[in-house]
Each structure stands twice: as structure tokens, then as C-alpha cells.
Amino acid sequence: MTDNAMRLFCFGLGYSGRVLAERLCLEGWTITGTARTVEGVAAIAASGWNGVLFDGARASADVRGALETVTHALVSVPPDAAGDPVLRWHGAHIASAPRLAWIGYLSTVGVYGDHGGALVDETTPPAPASERGRR
């Protein structure tokens, strides 16, 4: 691929990913994102983006294909009981993506618990209040 188009692939194109995608679309980016269900993929397509099914239970040939042209990737999928499903099923594909220039990880702040509006950063000790935050 010889063009200079910017292409975001978002593992887990949920609320936060959609906000980013909407902003990047205004700058001409191509957006592809995953959903866990066929209905979720349809909702992504209804937004004008490319939807890919990835439920975390197995690798996806569609994800592998999309990673061949991606320039940027955002992981916004929570871990499951066995760890990170993105790395488990697609870590090698991400590592070998030929055009990938940037990868980011978007996580819930739930791992830090409620700090009453005080500043929280990666040096803040974890204090999760929910099971999801403890994973």
C-alpha cells in the first residue's frame, strides 16, 4: 500500500473509541472497529465505519486482514479471566502489521477507585471497587 491515508483500527469500538473515531473522521481517517456481536458490527457500519466481529473467544480472520493496512491501533477491550484477549488472539498479528506506526491502550479508571476528584495517574496505587477493575 503506497498511500498516506491514516487508518485507525479500534479493538472494542465502544463509547470512548467512538468519540475518538468521530474526531478522526473529520480529519479524513478511515475507521475500522470491532464489536462482540453481529448487532454491534451493524451499529458500527451504520456510523459509516468498517465493523469487524471479535468476541474475544477466538482469532478473527477479518481482524488479521484489517491489520494489514492499519496505521494506528487502539485497544479498548477489557481483560477476561484469562488475560488480554487481543494479545492472546492477535498479538502476533499486531506485531507484524506492516504499516502500524502507533498503538495505544485505553482502560477504565475503575482500577483506581473513587478519589473524590483528586488527580489520578499511573503512579496512583490501584484501589478497584468492582470485579471488572480488579482484572
Side-chain angles (χ1 to χ4, degrees):
M1 187 162 263
T2 59
D3 67 49
N4 292 323
M6 302 301 255
R7 292 178 171 83
L8 174 69
F9 186 90
C10 188
F11 284 94
L13 191 52
Y15 179 82
S16 297
R18 284 177 172 273
V19 171
L20 175 62
E22 288 168 0
R23 291 182 181 183
L24 294 177
C25 275
L26 295 174
E27 297 179 21
W29 287 56
T30 298
I31 307 298
T32 302
T34 67
R36 293 177 290 195
T37 65
V38 172
E39 295 81 11
V41 170
I44 291 170
S47 295
W49 305 321
N50 305 307
V52 176
L53 186 63
F54 176 62
D55 64 6
R58 64 195 57 76
S60 165
D62 292 334
V63 168
R64 280 194 307 271
L67 289 172
E68 289 297 314
T69 63
V70 68
T71 59
H72 295 71
L74 178 65
V75 179
S76 183
V77 172
D80 58 24
D84 185 335
V86 171
L87 292 180
R88 179 170 54 247
W89 298 113
H90 293 291
H93 306 128
I94 293 168
S96 65
R99 297 189 65 211
L100 186 63
W102 178 90
I103 185 167
Y105 183 81
L106 179 62
S107 177
T108 175
V109 296
V111 298
Y112 299 111
D114 185 354
H115 285 265
L119 180 64
V120 174
D121 64 20
E122 51 279 337
T123 65
T124 303
S130 69
E131 179 59 35
R132 181 177 180 202
R134 287 188 276 281
R135 286 196 240 159

